[in-house]
Amino acid sequence: MSKAPWYMDTGKIGLHHQRKEKKDNPDPSLQETEWYARGARVGTAATKFRKGACENCGVLSHKTKDCMERPRKKGAKWTGKDMKADEVVQDISLSYDAKRDRWNGYDPTEHQKLMADWELIEEARRKRKASELDKDAAGGSSTAGGGAKADGIEAEFASSDEENDDEDRYIGKGGDEEKLNAKSKSTVRNLRIREDTAKYLRNLDPDSAYYDPKTRSMRENPYSGKEAAQLAYAGDNFIRYSGEALDVAKREVFAWEAGERGNNSAHFQANPTQTALMYGEFKQKKDTLKDSRKQAMLSKYGGEEHLQAPPRELLQQVEHYVEYSRTGQVISGAEKATVGTRFKEDVHPLNHSSVYGSWWSDGKWGYKCCRQFPRNAYCTAGALDK
């Protein structure tokens, strides 16, 4: 604290750099200076139109396109009537800070008028409240119904200061905030649970998920390498893309696209219920159209059997362990069955008992069973044996 920055370091130990520096010559533009004279006029109005003046009102201080008067059917240039006096034009030079001061030129008397109006409203409210309570007391406020009615009058004509009185609140048991006010019942307001861990304290590693202090958001998962579904907090992106968030985003995109097509009734913020119903109808019609196109393609080209899912028994995982020796013999476990092909096996046409190509003679292939060379020859092995 006692160490001064380099641009204020004088070589002496002290706290002079902690105090606000007093300027001997303050900026005169920040003091009470002359301001624009709004609505002020110079002298009297002219009697005839002057060259270069506004064609609408006859003022030399501005042009026709900058005129703030009501556009006339025939301007002062052609009628020569109802000429306006010239406006006061000032050239006030302001400093850098004075130009950016939002309260520069504000008249404090305007706020005094506003306070006077509010005081009149409060006085009228108090008088009306007193008259209502007198009427209730005259009608018999000793009963339970009269007491409830008096409480309703207190709540209806309560002052705005009493409604916004947040200084009479304290933290009660359970972490809830209770209002101590005899004129209204205690209310409960949910506060942030003190046991909640801040996002930037989830993972103190500087190379972990980035925390944006301006928006108080941490989009990535601070616990990298862990399953997001098993964590209490897995980043803002996980919350954004889980639950009904995707459906809400789809409805919003549907409202945008419908607005671009000319349907102004679909608005995500103004008509959320109607937009949701329209999105449901759109989705149903889209699915129906997709199914009809699918059926038309299948009916024209076929192939519906390829779209059927295989049995669940073929998709199940089975633990099958087999151990072999160096020579390829099974040591432990059962050997897997030979995988069959898509062709039919052990089927011999034309009464043959062997396949074509099992016999070779004189440079030709044939059947071994009957020793014939033509491929479409009928087997005569049984007749030859007889």
Side-chain angles (χ1 to χ4, degrees):
M1 182 182 293
S2 62
K3 186 177 180 180
W6 61 270
Y7 53 85
M8 296 184 66
D9 191 7
T10 59
K12 298 179 181 180
I13 299 175
L15 299 176
H16 180 72
H17 60 278
Q18 297 286 349
R19 299 185 181 89
K20 186 177 181 181
E21 183 180 1
K22 295 182 180 180
K23 295 183 179 180
D24 298 334
N25 298 321
D27 192 351
S29 61
L30 298 178
Q31 308 299 324
E32 296 182 1
T33 56
E34 185 181 3
W35 194 245
Y36 298 101
R38 298 175 180 175
R41 299 282 178 173
V42 179
T44 58
T47 57
K48 63 170 69 174
F49 184 78
R50 294 164 291 179
K51 185 178 180 181
C54 176
E55 298 178 358
N56 186 46
C57 62
V59 173
L60 280 172
S61 57
H62 63 260
K63 298 297 181 182
T64 306
K65 63 179 181 180
D66 300 328
C67 184
M68 301 299 294
E69 294 286 336
R70 177 182 60 84
R72 304 178 186 179
K73 189 175 182 180
K74 288 186 178 181
K77 179 179 179 180
W78 295 275
T79 61
K81 298 179 181 179
D82 195 14
M83 296 282 187
K84 299 295 182 180
D86 294 342
E87 301 165 341
V88 177
V89 180
Q90 295 172 292
D91 186 12
I92 300 177
S93 59
L94 299 174
S95 65
Y96 180 87
D97 295 329
K99 288 179 181 179
R100 289 155 180 80
D101 186 8
R102 64 176 64 187
W103 295 105
N104 196 358
Y106 176 72
D107 189 5
T109 57
E110 296 293 333
H111 184 68
Q112 296 296 333
K113 295 178 182 178
L114 183 64
M115 293 296 295
D117 294 342
W118 277 106
E119 288 177 0
L120 291 176
I121 295 173
E122 290 292 335
E123 183 65 25
R125 183 187 287 114
R126 283 194 292 268
K127 290 181 179 180
R128 187 178 177 186
K129 178 180 175 181
S131 62
E132 292 289 340
L133 289 175
D134 292 341
K135 291 179 182 179
D136 182 57
S141 60
S142 59
T143 59
K149 187 176 180 181
D151 293 340
I153 294 172
E154 291 281 355
E156 181 180 359
F157 298 102
S159 174
S160 59
D161 296 336
E162 296 172 355
E163 294 174 357
N164 299 328
D165 188 10
D166 292 335
E167 296 179 357
D168 295 337
R169 297 175 181 268
Y170 75 101
I171 302 302
K173 294 182 179 180
D176 296 332
E177 191 173 343
E178 302 175 0
K179 184 174 182 180
L180 296 178
N181 195 347
K183 297 182 180 179
S184 62
K185 297 181 180 180
S186 61
T187 58
V188 178
R189 181 179 296 177
N190 294 328
L191 296 176
R192 181 181 67 85
I193 302 176
R194 301 292 178 176
E195 287 76 13
D196 283 349
T197 306
K199 297 178 182 178
Y200 53 83
L201 296 178
R202 294 281 182 177
N203 191 348
L204 300 180
D205 186 5
D207 297 332
S208 63
Y210 173 72
Y211 174 76
D212 187 7
K214 186 175 183 180
T215 58
R216 298 182 181 180
S217 59
M218 181 180 287
R219 296 174 179 81
E220 300 179 1
N221 186 5
Y223 306 103
S224 59
K226 295 185 179 180
E227 190 68 25
Q230 300 177 357
L231 298 175
Y233 177 78
D236 296 340
N237 286 342
F238 177 77
I239 302 174
R240 187 177 302 171
Y241 300 115
S242 62
E244 298 181 357
L246 291 177
D247 296 338
V248 173
K250 290 179 181 178
R251 286 198 295 268
E252 188 172 7
V253 172
F254 167 75
W256 293 343
E257 294 177 350
E260 292 178 356
R261 298 190 190 100
N263 188 358
N264 298 326
S265 60
H267 197 280
F268 185 72
Q269 284 80 19
N271 298 324
T273 306
Q274 185 178 0
T275 305
L277 294 175
M278 293 176 63
Y279 177 70
E281 295 177 0
F282 167 75
K283 195 173 181 180
Q284 185 177 3
K285 291 180 181 178
K286 184 178 179 181
D287 295 341
T288 305
L289 181 61
K290 185 177 180 180
D291 294 340
S292 62
R293 289 180 178 176
K294 180 180 177 181
Q295 292 298 330
M297 293 288 290
L298 292 176
S299 61
K300 185 175 182 180
Y301 299 104
E304 187 175 359
E305 64 276 4
H306 301 293
L307 301 178
Q308 298 178 357
R312 294 186 59 184
E313 291 77 8
L314 299 179
L315 301 177
Q316 293 179 354
Q317 296 181 359
V318 180
E319 295 183 359
H320 190 81
Y321 177 77
V322 180
E323 186 176 352
Y324 296 90
S325 64
R326 293 183 178 180
T327 57
Q329 297 178 354
V330 178
I331 299 177
S332 62
E335 188 176 2
K336 287 185 178 181
T338 305
V339 180
T341 62
R342 61 190 181 95
F343 302 101
K344 295 181 180 181
E345 300 179 0
D346 299 331
V347 176
H348 305 287
L350 300 175
N351 200 28
H352 290 283
S353 59
S354 60
V355 296
Y356 182 78
S358 58
W359 174 257
W360 170 263
S361 178
D362 298 335
K364 297 180 181 179
W365 293 103
Y367 292 98
K368 185 179 180 181
C369 54
C370 58
R371 298 185 179 181
Q372 296 189 75
F373 299 107
R375 187 181 183 87
N376 298 327
Y378 188 81
C379 183
T380 57
L384 293 175
D385 294 340
K386 292 179 181 179

